Every structure is written in structure tokens, then in C-alpha cells.
Amino acid sequence: MNHDENPRNEQPEGGASPVPDAPAPPPAAEVSGRQRLKAGLWPPRLSRAQLIVAVLLFGLGLGLAIQVRSTSDDNALRGARQEDLVRILDEVDDRTQRLEDEKQRLDDQRTELENSSDQAEEARKQTLEKERQLGILAGTVAAQGPGITLTITDPSGAVAPDMLLDAIQELRAAGAEAIQVNGVRVVANTYFSGDAGSVEVDGKKIEAPYEFTVIGKPQDLEPALNIPGGVVQTLEKEQATVLVERSDDIVVDALRPAQRPDYARSSSP
């Protein structure tokens, strides 16, 4: 037995430990042919040129399919029976009739639009007429028509403003459409002030004789003033004289300037 050999369990000189052997690497996983094929095909790797070629081929195939189908339809018509051709012709005639009906419907719509244009013109005329009527009521335009002239003389100066206001109210209640007193247009907000013998209309002083120019139906205006206990009798008690004259042509030409409201605005869009 050789004593120079150093057994494995003995420490080498210098106290160094033996280096253990490195573990063996695990065996590589085997890759099957199916997996290699799948890895090669997906995800697809297409170049730009290949993509363009694919799109062109798709378009070419679609055009060929449409051409073949059209040719097949023509061949089908050539080989169709007479009864089938008659049925197809009837369907074409029916479609033509439907198109004619649609054309007629569109023509009718055009006619309605033309008529609506006439209606719009008529509405415009009515609007202008309504504007004129409102202008008469507001005193911004002159008016002409049948009516009466009421003249009140006051030799004793006893006619008070409220008596003249009563006359205005009676005339309005009888259907007066336009009134002016001594050249002052009477409107919705007209007021009488002052004292007997010194009357003011809307702040403007007027003097006797007081002349009312009134447009309305004379047959209604005059009786309204002459009712028992009415305007005429009240004025005659104050020694005033009242003259009422009917006319078929009364002109009310005193005007009021159009005033713009400070706060009120139209609510229409």
C-alpha cells in the first residue's frame, strides 16, 4: 500500500478545500417539427411589396368573379323560356311604372312648393296690412275712412278734462278706430289733464272749440254719444253745445312718433 497517496477524505496541505465538480447542464428540450412550422408561419412577416401584390391579386379575383357572374346572367337570359322572358319584361314594366309614379309625386311636391311660395307672398301681404293696422292704432300712420266729426263749443269755459275723456271712452266703446282732438292723435296711453276751460291732451294745451275727428261706423258712433245721460246731455248741462256730423271720408292725419321701449323686447325668435 502506497502511503504517499492522499486519500479523498484527507485535507491537502495548506488547508485548502477541494473544488466540487460543476453540475451538468439540463438536457435541451426537444422541438417538434409541428412547433417549428408554427413558429415559421405565425406571426406572418409580410413585406410592403408582398402586401401590395396581395391586394392586387384580391382585386383581380373580385373583377373576374363579377365578370363571370355577368356572363352567366346573360347566358341565363339567352337560355330562358318564353314565359320567363315575359315575366322579366313585366317586372321591368312594373319598375318603370313605379319610377313614373315617383316622378309624378316629385312633380306634385314641386307644385305644392310653388303654391306655398304664393301663400308666403300672401302671408307677407297680410303681415304688411297688419302692420298698417297696428300703425293706425299706435298713431304712427295716417288713416282715412267713414266716421264723424264731433265739435264741442264751450262759451262759459265749464267743460272739464274728464268730460272730454268720457267722450273718448264712449267713442272707443262704439268702435272708433282712429281719433284726433284739435290736431293731437289719441292713442292707448292718451291722458287729459288741466282744469275746466284750460284742457291739456298728453301735456299739450288745447282750446275750445274742441273738435274730435273720428273714424268708425257712423251709425254706431253717433247714437253712442246721444244715449240718455250720455256725453251730449252732460255737456249741454254745462252750457256747451255739441254738433255731430257724419261723413264717408274722414281723415285722421295727426301722427305720433314711433317710440322704442326701454325694457320690453319681442319674445319671438
Side-chain angles (χ1 to χ4, degrees):
M1 185 173 183
N2 190 356
H3 296 282
D4 294 335
E5 295 179 359
N6 189 17
R8 288 185 175 272
N9 57 354
E10 292 182 0
Q11 297 291 336
E13 293 181 0
S17 301
V19 179
D21 296 335
E30 296 183 359
V31 180
S32 65
R34 183 187 300 272
Q35 292 175 338
R36 288 195 301 269
L37 179 61
K38 182 178 180 182
L41 294 177
W42 189 263
R45 298 177 179 85
L46 294 178
S47 65
R48 184 176 181 181
Q50 291 174 333
L51 183 61
I52 295 175
V53 171
V55 172
L56 293 176
L57 290 176
F58 175 77
L60 179 60
L62 182 62
L64 290 175
I66 295 174
Q67 181 65 30
V68 170
R69 182 174 180 180
S70 177
T71 304
S72 299
D73 292 341
D74 293 340
N75 292 335
L77 290 177
R78 292 192 185 97
R81 296 177 303 174
Q82 183 177 359
E83 294 82 359
D84 296 334
L85 294 175
V86 172
R87 178 179 56 80
I88 294 173
L89 182 60
D90 291 338
E91 291 178 356
V92 172
D93 291 338
D94 293 339
R95 184 176 181 182
T96 302
Q97 184 61 43
R98 288 194 299 268
L99 292 175
E100 289 291 339
D101 295 340
E102 180 68 14
K103 178 179 178 297
Q104 183 62 40
R105 186 180 67 83
L106 294 175
D107 289 340
D108 294 340
Q109 288 182 353
R110 183 184 64 183
T111 303
E112 291 177 2
L113 289 174
E114 292 174 352
N115 292 336
S116 66
S117 299
D118 295 339
Q119 293 175 1
E121 178 64 20
E122 181 64 24
R124 188 186 68 85
K125 293 180 180 179
Q126 293 179 5
T127 301
L128 293 177
E129 177 63 21
K130 187 66 175 180
E131 180 183 4
R132 187 188 66 83
Q133 294 175 0
L134 293 176
I136 291 175
L137 297 177
T140 58
V141 298
Q144 183 176 1
I148 65 170
T149 299
L150 169 65
T151 305
I152 302 173
T153 58
D154 183 21
S156 61
V159 176
D162 59 336
M163 297 178 184
L164 300 182
L165 180 60
D166 289 342
I168 294 294
Q169 292 176 340
E170 289 290 347
L171 291 170
R172 283 175 171 170
E177 297 177 352
I179 306 173
Q180 69 182 36
V181 180
N182 287 31
V184 179
R185 187 69 170 264
V186 177
V187 293
N189 59 350
T190 293
Y191 64 92
F192 287 78
S193 59
D195 299 318
S198 179
V199 179
E200 293 183 359
V201 181
D202 293 336
K204 182 178 181 180
K205 186 176 180 179
I206 60 175
E207 297 179 353
Y210 306 114
E211 183 175 286
F212 290 66
T213 306
V214 186
I215 294 179
K217 188 176 181 180
Q219 295 85 348
D220 295 336
L221 297 176
E222 183 177 2
L225 298 173
N226 289 303
I227 60 176
V231 172
V232 172
Q233 289 188 0
T234 300
L235 291 172
E236 289 177 348
K237 289 180 182 179
E238 301 297 334
Q239 305 302 315
T241 59
V242 180
L243 177 63
V244 179
E245 295 179 335
R246 297 186 183 187
S247 175
D248 294 331
D249 188 14
I250 295 292
V251 176
V252 175
D253 53 5
L255 302 180
R256 288 292 188 95
Q259 297 181 353
R260 181 182 298 274
D262 295 329
Y263 305 101
R265 295 292 182 269
S266 175
S267 60
S268 301

